[in-house]
């Protein structure tokens, strides 16, 4: 190479050479020099440019074969623009230069330019190689139809296909072949041409059968027959067959083929591990991973990615962490230089298992990141409710795809940031990114949390306009939205008109009916679910027990609670026991509930004692209630609900001194009562009211209206129940305090501002006050309008002086 550089740099002027030799000798010299530059590396390309520069400065006019070599070198050095410049300088470019450009343009994904170069070639100079280049170009760019069309044209004009033709053609055909007849026709062409002697062609043919497997009468039998007839197989042969079986769900056949191998191939192990992971056989995947290690087969990025992803999806955090440790210990690669798919799998593992800080450390150490990396860490923050961290990641992302927006919108909606979710959904649309059904589901979920019924209805209409009304995720979100906004009838309509429903749909509908006090209807839907052979899960029984509790269906609740273990093999956990104890306590069966608690197979936690205390408050069982409160003071000393319930019990019993002691205890321990907050939607705007509110711009108008209503209510027999005021004050002051409760203010505002006859729908963060419950019954009769209130536990529908709960709440 040193001599070559010297010769190139010291070549004599052309005029002298012409006296020493002829033009052919000069051309041969330049051709020989360029031959040294064919290697695909920067040094060779730089030397080729030096030779080319010498050609230009010497005044030598290169012939076609030299130009062809220059075009080839410039193509290989990714300087296709200059290669095209040289090509255009040739008056009549030959098929070699054309084929070179066709391949280069195809590799860059510009198949249209490649086709233009091919079409400009006269038929008289075309050959099999040029057709092969164009067919390969179509195949690599996923254009199977044009590849087959060109193959037929090739045969029409008498060009004989070879093994390279068929290898490319079959790969392209796998993209578009739909039935067995098409596969058989191509197979016959291969046999007639004698190309079935080449391993590459047979591999492509096997791949064709595999990819068309779902539409064939015998998905893998033709591929297997071809495989068994092969005299020689390579790694691709085994991989095609094993992945084919995996893809068609025949994992046992894949393992049988794997066990019959007479050599240990890395690709085969990787294919089997990936197959086991995809079909949920994680333990077998781990066994294969261990066997691969013991056999001394190199573990590569595909191996690690499959195993770590499987651990993430199966919740096997400790095993996944051990695999991570093994990577670091063996020094397979430095932690910062792990392959991108491996790092992405690790970030996903730690995120899915709630270890978002460790995931962030891996993420920050990555030298390369893609959409998967950013979306994985974003999902990690969202899944643990760390919305501020999610916001930071979202804002820092260099590019955002549809999944990014969907994750962020859903994260806001599911973590109590409903307004932020809707703002982000609107921002997404203003940036001309069309939302998918999952994005709509997130926005609808936000409407559910806010009680923004009209906004939810608008989104529902848009769903229908965009053709997403058949979406399962959007349909389930609509059921929840309508139910949580107090329109259970609309939720029922959505449920019955969905083209497909899953267990989430059934659970959502049962929840909706149960929350609204329609316990018997909820149980009917549950029975229909069982008739449809949908197996209930742990969540199903939680909502069924809740529905029974809200409607006083004790007998039915007992039956379903016992069936969990006896019929469905589901061991009740603490939440199930808490719902069941709540059912017993609401029905006044305090003694039975207490006995059950004493015999629980685990130490009862706060949910159990809260259910017992609430039942004792309803039925005035002071002795057991105080015991329950003592347990809660130990378990959750900062929870305000315990103090409020106990104080209310003392107030109901007229024990004012004990009530005062409880309030003193709250102050001493620094426990503050969560303020009551109620809100409703009027004219597409959510209005919020706090207890004794003075901040709302129209609140004084509401106070005046409520005083007028109060006078009329008293004439109908309403008497304020001042026991719900726990502060020591005069009777008149207590009555005024009752009228300033947040739910009372919200209902008054709705009656004033909503159209005459419209239903007033109010949402509250806490349990509704007993006096407000009584007042709303009188108001509904007085104004002849329906009032719907969703408190922290359930819905109340007030109509004509009655409540849907039947005072069972």
């Amino acid at each position: 190479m040193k001599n070559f550089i010297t010769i190139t740099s010291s070549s004599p002027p052309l005029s002298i050479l012409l006296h020493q030799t002829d033009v052919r000798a000069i051309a041969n010299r330049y051709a020989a020099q360029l031959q040294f530059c064919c290697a695909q590396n920067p040094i060779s390309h730089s030397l080729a440019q030096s030779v080319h520069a010498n050609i230009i400065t010497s005044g030598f006019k290169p012939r076609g074969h030299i130009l062809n070599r220059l075009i080839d070198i410039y193509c290989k050095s990714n300087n296709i623009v200059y290669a095209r410049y040289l090509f255009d300088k040739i008056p009549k470019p030959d098929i070699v230069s054309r084929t070179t450009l066709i391949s280069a343009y195809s590799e860059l994904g510009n198949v249209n330019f490649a086709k233009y170069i091919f079409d400009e070639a006269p038929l008289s100079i075309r050959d099999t190689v040029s057709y092969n280049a164009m067919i390969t170009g179509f195949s690599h760019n996923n254009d199977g139809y044009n590849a087959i069309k060109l193959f037929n044209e090739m045969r029409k004009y008498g060009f004989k296909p070879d093994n390279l033709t068929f290898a490319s053609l079959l790969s392209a055909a796998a993209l578009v072949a739909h039935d067995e007849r098409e596969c058989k026709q191509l197979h016959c062409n291969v046999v007639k041409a004698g190309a079935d002697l080449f391993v590459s062609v047979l591999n492509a043919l096997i791949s064709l059968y595999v990819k068309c497997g779902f539409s064939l009468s015998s998905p893998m039998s033709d591929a297997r027959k071809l495989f068994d007839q092969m005299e020689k197989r390579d790694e691709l042969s085994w991989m095609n067959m094993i992945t084919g079986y995996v893809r068609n769900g025949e994992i046992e056949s894949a393992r049988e083929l794997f066990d019959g191998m007479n050599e240990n191939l890395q690709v085969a192990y990787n294919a089997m591990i990936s197959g086991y992971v995809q079909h949920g056989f994680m333990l077998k995947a781990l066994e294969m991973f261990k066997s691969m290690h013991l056999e001394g087969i190199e573990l590569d990025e595909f191996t690690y990615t499959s195993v770590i992803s499987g651990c993430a999806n199966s919740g096997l955090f400790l095993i996944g962490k051990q695999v991570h440790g093994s990577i670091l210990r063996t020094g397979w690669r430095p932690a910062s230089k792990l392959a991108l798919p491996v790092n992405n799998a690790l970030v996903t593992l730690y995120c899915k298992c709630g270890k978002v800080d460790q995931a962030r450390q891996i993420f920050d150490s990555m030298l390369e990141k893609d959409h998967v990396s950013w979306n994985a860490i974003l999902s990690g923050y969202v899944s643990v409710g760390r919305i501020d961290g999610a916001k930071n990641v979202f804002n820092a992302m260099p590019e955002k795809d549809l999944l990014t927006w969907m994750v962020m919108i859903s994260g806001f909606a599911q973590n109590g940031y409903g307004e932020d979710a809707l703002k982000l959904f609107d921002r997404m649309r203003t940036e001309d990114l069309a939302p998918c059904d999952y994005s709509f589901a997130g926005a609808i979920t936000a409407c559910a949390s806010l009680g923004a019924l009209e906004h939810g209805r608008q989104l529902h209409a848009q769903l229908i306009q965009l053709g997403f009304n058949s979406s399962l995720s959007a349909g389930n979100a609509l059921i929840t939205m309508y139910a949580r906004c107090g329109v259970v009838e609309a939720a029922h309509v959505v449920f019955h008109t969905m083209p497909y429903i899953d267990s989430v749909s059934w659970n959502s509908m049962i929840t909706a009916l149960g929350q609204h006090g329609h316990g018997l209807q909820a149980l009917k839907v549950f029975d229909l679910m069982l008739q449809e052979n949908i197996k209930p899960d742990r969540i199903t029984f939680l909502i069924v027990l809740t529905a029974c509790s809200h409607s006083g269906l004790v007998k039915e609740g007992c039956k379903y609670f016992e069936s969990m273990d006896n019929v469905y093999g589901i061991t009740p956990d603490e939440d199930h026991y808490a719902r069941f104890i709540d059912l017993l306590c609401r029905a006044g069966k305090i003694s039975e509930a207490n006995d059950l608690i004493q015999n629980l197979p685990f130490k009862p936690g706060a949910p159990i004692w809260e259910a017992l205390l609430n039942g004792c408050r309803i039925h005035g069982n002071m002795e057991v209630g105080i015991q329950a409160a003592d347990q809660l003071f130990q378990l959750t000393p900062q929870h305000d609900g315990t103090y409020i319930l106990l104080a209310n019990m003392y107030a109901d019993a007229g024990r004012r001194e004990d009530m005062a002691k409880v309030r003193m205890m709250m102050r001493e321990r620094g426990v503050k009562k969560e303020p009551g907050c109620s809100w409703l939607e009027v004219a597409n705007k959510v209005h919020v009211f706090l207890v004794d509110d003075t901040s709302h711009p129209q609140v004084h108008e509401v106070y005046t209206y409520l005083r007028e209503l109060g006078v009329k209510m008293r004439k109908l027999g309403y008497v304020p129940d001042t026991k719900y005021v726990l502060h020591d004050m005069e009777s008149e002051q207590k009555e005024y305090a009752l009228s300033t409760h947040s739910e009372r203010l919200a209902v008054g505002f709705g009656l004033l501002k909503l159209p005459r006859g419209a239903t007033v729908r109010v949402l509250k963060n806490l349990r509704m006050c007993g006096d407000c419950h009584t007042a709303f019954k009188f108001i509904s009769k007085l104004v002849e309008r329906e009032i719907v209130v969703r408190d922290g536990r359930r819905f109340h529908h007030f109509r004509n002086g009655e409540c849907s709960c039947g005072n069972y709440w």
Side-chain angles (χ1 to χ4, degrees), residues 129-161:
V129 177
S130 61
Y131 272 99
N132 287 352
M134 196 63 244
I135 291 172
T136 301
F138 283 131
S139 176
H140 288 173
N141 287 277
N142 301 319
D143 190 350
Y145 288 109
N146 275 318
I148 294 172
K149 181 181 177 182
L150 191 62
F151 173 75
N152 291 331
E153 176 189 304
M154 176 185 182
R155 296 172 65 201
K156 175 184 175 182
Y157 291 128
F159 294 96
K160 186 178 180 181

Side-chain angles (χ1 to χ4, degrees), residues 422 440 443-448 450-464 474 477-478 481-482 485 494 681 684:
L422 294 178
F440 269 104
I444 292 167
T445 301
C447 292
L450 293 171
L453 176 62
E454 292 308 315
H455 201 144
R457 282 174 169 161
Q458 291 172 14
L459 291 174
H460 189 180
Q462 292 168 23
L463 269 174
I464 296 171
L478 283 170
M481 186 275 293
Y482 280 120
C485 289
V494 172
E681 184 183 21
N684 286 328

